[in-house]
Amino acid sequence: SQTIHQWPATLVQPVGSPLSLECTVEGTSNPNLYWYRQAAGRGLQLLFYSVGIGQISSEVPQNLSASRPQDRQFILSSKKLLLSDSGFYLCAWRASGSHEQYFGPGTRLTVT
Amino acid sequence: AQSVTQLGSHVSVSEGALVLLRCNYSSSVPPYLFWYVQYPNQGLQLLLKYTSAATLVKGINGFEAEFKKSETSFHLTKPSAHMSDAAEYFCAVSEGAASKLTFGTGTRLQVTL
C-alpha cells in the first residue's frame, strides 16, 4: 500500500532563516505531487505541484520554492522566512490516471 | 475557474442525529468532487469521491453524498452522528489535467451528548 511521509512534524524558525520541508511517498511510481498551505482564516491554498522529476509548477507568487530531485521526493524551501509563511503545510500525492489526492500528516511551521 | 461554497462554517448536532453538511460547486465541465475530513493537527483524509459514475456515493465511516447536477450540489450526510465524527470537513473540486484541488472554506462539525 502507499504511504506518504512529511518531516519535520513541527518547526519553529526565526524570521530570515532558511526552510526545508520534505515529503516522500512510498509504494507508487511517478506520482503527481502537491504542496498546500493551510493558514488560519485562509483555508487550503495550493502552492506547487509536480508531474515528474524536475517539473515544478508554481500557483502563487511567494517567498517559497519547490524541488523534486527524485521521483517520490518533494521538497519545499525558502531562503529567508517571513512571518506570513507561518502555517500548516500539507503534501499530497495523486496516481496518474486518477483524480483523488492523498495527504500526508503535515508540518506545522511557526515563524517568530 | 471552478469554485466550491460550503454553507455554514460551524454545524452542531446531537449524538445520534442526522448530519448534513452542504457543498455547492461551480464548474463549466463535469466535475470531480471530493469530501475530506481533518482532525486537529492532522492531514486530510479522503471520505468519498464523485467521478461521474453513480450519483449517490458512499464513503468511509458511514458517510455518503449525492451529486445533484441541477442544483450544483454535493451535500454530505450521515444518518446518525457519533462523537468521533467531530472534525472539520472540506469539500473540493478537481480542476484541469493536473487535477488541482480547489477547496471550500470548511465546516467544523461539533457533536454533543
Side-chain angles (χ1 to χ4, degrees):
Chain A
S1 64
Q2 300 86 9
T3 55
I4 178 169
H5 304 278
Q6 289 186 244
W7 62 89
T10 61
L11 192 60
V12 180
Q13 292 284 93
V15 169
S17 64
L19 173 73
S20 181
L21 303 182
E22 190 166 343
C23 170
T24 59
V25 181
E26 296 177 354
T28 187
S29 296
N30 196 31
N32 288 254
L33 297 172
Y34 306 81
W35 277 112
Y36 293 86
R37 177 169 59 201
Q38 189 175 27
R42 298 186 63 183
L44 281 146
Q45 182 183 39
L46 177 63
L47 302 175
F48 302 94
Y49 69 91
S50 172
V51 299
I53 296 174
Q55 301 179 63
I56 309 295
S57 296
S58 174
E59 288 296 294
V60 182
Q62 59 208 316
N63 186 41
L64 302 169
S65 62
S67 62
R68 185 170 175 176
Q70 300 180 42
D71 181 45
R72 290 169 288 178
Q73 184 185 32
F74 205 23
I75 297 172
L76 184 69
S77 304
S78 174
K79 292 182 179 178
K80 290 186 178 182
L81 283 169
L82 306 172
L83 285 174
S84 58
D85 292 323
S86 293
F88 193 48
Y89 287 82
L90 291 160
C91 182
W93 73 274
R94 177 180 67 87
S96 298
S98 70
H99 295 273
E100 63 271 22
Q101 294 180 22
Y102 297 94
F103 286 78
T107 294
R108 174 77 58 192
L109 172 65
T110 303
V111 182
T112 61
Chain B
Q2 296 169 316
S3 65
V4 172
T5 301
Q6 291 185 242
L7 294 176
S9 59
H10 290 83
V11 171
S12 182
V13 300
S14 300
E15 190 174 36
L18 171 72
V19 175
L20 170 61
L21 305 182
R22 300 178 185 274
C23 172
N24 288 88
Y25 69 92
S26 171
S27 175
S28 58
V29 298
Y32 296 103
L33 295 162
F34 308 90
W35 275 100
Y36 287 87
V37 61
Q38 186 179 33
Y39 298 97
N41 292 312
Q42 295 187 24
L44 277 68
Q45 181 181 13
L46 180 66
L47 272 179
L48 49 80
K49 61 183 179 182
Y50 169 75
T51 55
S52 74
T55 56
L56 182 62
V57 179
K58 294 187 182 298
I60 62 172
N61 301 340
F63 284 93
E64 62 182 37
E66 186 172 8
F67 173 72
K68 292 187 177 180
K69 184 178 179 180
S70 61
E71 299 177 7
T72 61
S73 69
F74 190 56
H75 302 331
L76 183 70
T77 60
K78 182 174 181 178
S80 177
H82 191 273
M83 296 296 290
S84 61
D85 294 327
E88 188 150 24
Y89 292 80
F90 293 92
C91 183
V93 61
S94 175
E95 179 178 12
S99 294
K100 295 178 287 184
L101 290 178
T102 299
F103 287 90
T105 51
T107 297
R108 186 167 299 279
L109 176 66
Q110 181 183 19
V111 182
T112 59
L113 291 173

